[in-house]
Amino acid sequence: AEGGGCSDILSSAYSEILGIPLPALGFLTYSAVSLVALQGASKVKEGESDSTEQMALRGGAAVLASTSAYLMFTLFTKLDGVACPYCFASATLSALILAASVPGSRSSDVPKGAGMSLAVFLALAIGFGDVADLTSGGAANAAAPDLYIEYRKPPITT
C-alpha cells in the first residue's frame, strides 16, 4: 500500500476482525473501559466500592493489553515492524491501563486475568490463522533470506 506506516496496516489482512475495522473495535473497547473506570471512580469518591466494577475494569484492561500484545506481535512478525504511531500509542495506553488497574487486586484475581488474557490472545491467533506462527516464534511464513558467504582459506601458520 502507498503511504507506508498506518496505511499499510489499515490495508492489511489484519485491519479488521469479523468484518469490523480494528480502530472501531478499539474505540468501543476503550470507551467501555473508560465508562467503567469513571463509574467506579465516582462510587469510590462517594465512599462506596463495587468489586464487580473493579473486576470489569481489570477484565477490560486485560482484554486491551492482550489484544495490543497480539497486534504488536503481528506488527513485528507479519508486517515487518511497520512504524505506526497509533499502534504504538494504543499498545502503550493499554499497558498503562492494565498497570493502573492492578493495585488493590487480590492475588486470587491474577489467574483469572491471566486466563482471560491468554484466551483473547489465542482467539485472535486462531481468528487470524496465526497459530503456526505462535509455535514457531513468528517464522512460519518468513522466507529464509538468500545468504552467500564467500569461502576464504584460513591462513596456516606453524
Side-chain angles (χ1 to χ4, degrees), residues 78-155:
K78 297 286 190 169
L79 301 171
D80 299 323
V82 170
C84 175
Y86 296 111
C87 297
F88 297 133
S90 177
T92 301
L93 181 60
S94 64
L96 290 172
I97 291 170
L98 181 63
S101 73
V102 171
S105 299
R106 296 183 310 263
S107 60
S108 62
D109 293 339
V110 174
K112 294 175 195 170
M116 182 183 301
S117 293
L118 181 61
V120 168
F121 197 89
L122 289 175
L124 288 168
I126 291 167
F128 282 128
D130 290 336
V131 176
D133 284 349
L134 290 175
T135 59
S136 67
N141 294 328
D146 290 332
L147 181 64
Y148 176 76
I149 300 175
E150 185 178 326
Y151 176 77
R152 293 187 184 171
K153 246 182 159 172

Side-chain angles (χ1 to χ4, degrees), residues 20-71:
I20 303 168
L22 280 180
L25 288 173
F27 174 77
L28 292 173
T29 308
Y30 278 113
S31 297
V33 169
S34 297
L35 288 174
V36 170
L38 289 172
Q39 186 175 2
S42 66
K43 285 190 175 187
V44 168
K45 194 174 187 180
E46 297 169 3
E48 301 174 25
S49 180
D50 187 357
S51 64
T52 303
E53 287 170 344
Q54 292 172 357
M55 283 302 296
L57 178 60
R58 289 184 192 112
V63 167
L64 284 171
S66 57
T67 300
S68 288
Y70 178 78
L71 293 173

Side-chain angles (χ1 to χ4, degrees), residues 154-158:
I156 301 175
T157 58
T158 54

